[in-house]
Amino acid sequence: MKKIFFLFIAVLLCQLSFAQENKRPLTWDDIQKWNRISQTTISDDGNIIAYQLRPWKGDNILKIKTKNGKEKISVIGGENPLITKNSDFVIYTIKPLADTLRALKLKKTKKEEMPVNELGIYNIKTGNEDRIACLKSYKTAEEPGTWIAYQTEPAKEKEKGKEKTKENPGEEKKEKKESNKNGFTLTIRNLEIGLELTRPFVTQYYFSEEEKTLVFVTTGNDEDTPAGIYCINLGSNEQNNVLESKGEFKQITLNKDGSKLAFLLDTCTKKKSANNYALYLWNGKHEAIEILNNNNDFLPEGWIISEDGRLNFTDKKNRLFFGIAPKPLEKDSTILDEEIPGVDVWHYKEPILQTVQIINRNKDLKKTYEAVYHIDEQKAVKIGGTEFTGIDLLDEGNADFAFGVNNVPYALQTMWDNYPSYYDFYLIDIKTGQSKIFKKECPSETFSSPEGNFIYWYNPLDSTLHTYNVNTKKEYTIASPENIQLANEMTDVPMPAYPYGQIGWMKDDKALLVYDRFDIWKLDPENKKTPLNLTQNGRANNISYRVLSFNKRKDWRTEGINEKEELYLHGHNEISRGDGYYKISLKKSGEPKKLIAGEYMLTNRPQKAKKSETVIFSIEDFERFPDLIASDLNFKNPTQISDANPQQKEFIWGTAELYTWASLDGKILYGTLHKPENFDPNKKYPMIVNFYEKNSQRLYSHHIPENHRSTIDYHYYTSNGYIVFNPDVYYKTGYPGEDAFNCVMPGITALIKEGFINEKAIGAQGHSWGGYQVAYLATRTNLFAAIESGAPVVNMLSAYGGIRWNTGLNRAFQYEHTQSRIGKNIWESPLRYIENSPIFTLDKINTPILIMHNDHDGYVPWWQGIEFFIGLRRLGKPAWLLNYNNADHWPQKHKNKYDFQLRMQQFFDHYLKCKPMPKWMQEGIPAVKKGYEMGYELEE
């Protein structure tokens, strides 16, 4: 028997050895085929799970499976699945195949002749799939029920003989055709019984939230449907003529059950400089009536009802909210556009910088202010205006007050102190529109409780949490550092710390739940009870507990938490780096009950079926892809649903481990160390150091193989014989470059002493802040054989006064208070800016540098990369600059990411593995050869 056993073991070991030998390294083409999982959804009864497999290049595949993992259907090109409430149908769109589109593009096919999406409807009971071709649009209720409405592109027909009218035999009749202006045929289908209704020339259509009504706008036909807006009762299929009228319908809004309808209508069809919309209301009977127009007295002089203002019914009070705005500016018609100078006038006292104003210009031109129509009183009230920069409708507009904020008096200060931001707070009477300030210069944004009884805010200056009772007009301090540490304990930037955050409110505004670093606390909104630690053991066990919200739409800041509910938690152990799921009762505090936990990472957004205890989640680590798993709420008896990347077993993979060492000043540090799976401690390996702030807490994250936009792919490099080291960096104020040196270099030295690192083949790579860090290190050490620095700031003096073009904000705050951590402005401490800037010590660099910086970078001015390159070029240092045209902070297009990864790999392979230099590194690519030659060829 023993002989048989040992024979079995020998055979098994041979098989494993053979399998290992037959594995191959990853290539960039292999990675393009790697799948991600997205658009996951579960049926209400928990029996059906739909998800999408998305390769980096190629066709998406929609999978529809049972909770036991059995496949019902696989749809190439399928996306955006919706499962109906009765769990009987899955609705999705189907994109044309990628190869088909590519072939047609090569043939220079016209855009209007290219294939378009299809609509797919899969019947779960019968297994039948219905496809509707030439899909233009489709809609369902917010939670899909038994109805769907859709429009298709009209068939392209050859021109037919033209018909002459009876009245004028010599005159040709112009047939009305479907178009974006005229509308398209709308099909309304009941999925259960197969009933179909059609309506002609529809331009807009919407379901009520509860799927009782469908409203549509039509330009009408010459037979039985005049132009106007109509409602269909989906229970009786009866159609109501809401209003027969031509014109522009905007902001069409139904209440939840579809019994009320509101919309804006401009009936003037002549071209004019300003729109003139009136507000209409329909109560389910008779015809809609005009309730307000621009001549009403409630409007300030020069104001109008805005077409951009969202309409909204309240569900407890009979109110309708809408938007108003100052009348748009009109250009002088006596001046030609070509005569108007193109100039921006910057003023030193403007509260908002011109660049920010320009970026926000289109949004500001459409900015609206709140107004309410009290339906029972037939009275309109203006509740918001330019005196407020924001309005919060307490209890979703059902309360007697609204909450207004204004930060204009403090806006100029945010140019250099962007956190905290200061505000003045107001209460606004919904019935009269009168407002009253109740707090000035508060250093915080605010939130409101679900029932609208409290306004609450966090003060970052003293780490306290405050509430304001709207009814009693009293303010309370409900948490302070003496009892709860709400401020982020790990903050290492020279500004007040952000809070860990709020979870939400209990029902009836009875209590507020908040986080500290580890635990969950229950706070009395009027500080009548001592704060209660619900989880108790988080800090003691170094487990950070965070609430799992299974329902994606649920927001406990607007919906109260029922005290009878059990809260499910995600717990992260800061020592082991592993995750777990737990649950607690809200009725009393206690140690959370562990459901599942281990040395892996768990998704923090599992999904639960609404009408069953089936839940889908994922487990991952560096080697394990986060495939979908189904289980019950105890996370027992799991069933794997997806197998997204079975090809992984064909490739040499890698491992991840926690590595520890001491900084130059004696602090114990951690990082992640990634080795090839066939690692041999007796070999010498090339190593790439890649880091950005702190990442060791993500030891068990999977890092899906990808042609990344800004960083090396760990799986590619471990698969191809590299070791990757990612060290945590801790910062003090004033010297971020020195802090990186202090943390990173001892880690590298410790690894060299391990004996398996080739100390002459160590590279470094970083992007943005990481790009700056590796550029700085290049000025301090010659240890690195090659460095890739992406979008780096190398001259803090020239960057300090610049603009972050994506937002229009001045860059000063970043250097003084946030990531750059200088802590002072350039007049207070110019030497800090010089000492931390690599540009001033480029002559010390002896490491070949590859720079990637793009000409449309909205975060780091791309001339920083140019300064870096030009300086190295001037000094005769080996350097290359990659600029992806019209790309932002990093390349987004797949073709550019693929190119970047390939060139970076060739760069590192040359300097760390002694492989031949590619042609683009040897000779460059002259501008005249751009687009004709890639220069990937290796030069022997």
Side-chain angles (χ1 to χ4, degrees), residues 429-473:
D429 192 308
I430 288 286
K431 294 180 181 178
T432 66
Q434 294 180 342
S435 63
K436 185 177 180 180
I437 190 168
F438 70 87
K439 194 167 189 68
K440 286 183 68 67
E441 204 170 348
C442 185
S444 177
E445 291 184 295
T446 57
F447 305 94
S448 61
S449 62
E451 300 295 323
N453 295 308
F454 293 94
I455 293 162
Y456 63 106
W457 64 91
Y458 170 78
N459 186 335
L461 300 181
D462 59 8
S463 303
T464 54
L465 187 64
H466 301 259
T467 58
Y468 178 82
N469 189 313
V470 173
N471 305 304
T472 65
K473 310 297 187 291

Side-chain angles (χ1 to χ4, degrees), residues 30 43 68 147 150 165 225 271 287 472 480 494 599 617 632 788 823 825 871 881 901 930:
D30 293 324
S43 61
N68 297 321
W147 290 90
Y150 59 87
T165 63
T225 308
K271 189 175 181 180
E287 191 176 71
T472 65
S480 63
E599 294 184 354
F617 67 104
D632 59 20
E788 192 281 327
N825 65 45
L881 172 63
Q901 289 295 332
K930 178 181 174 181

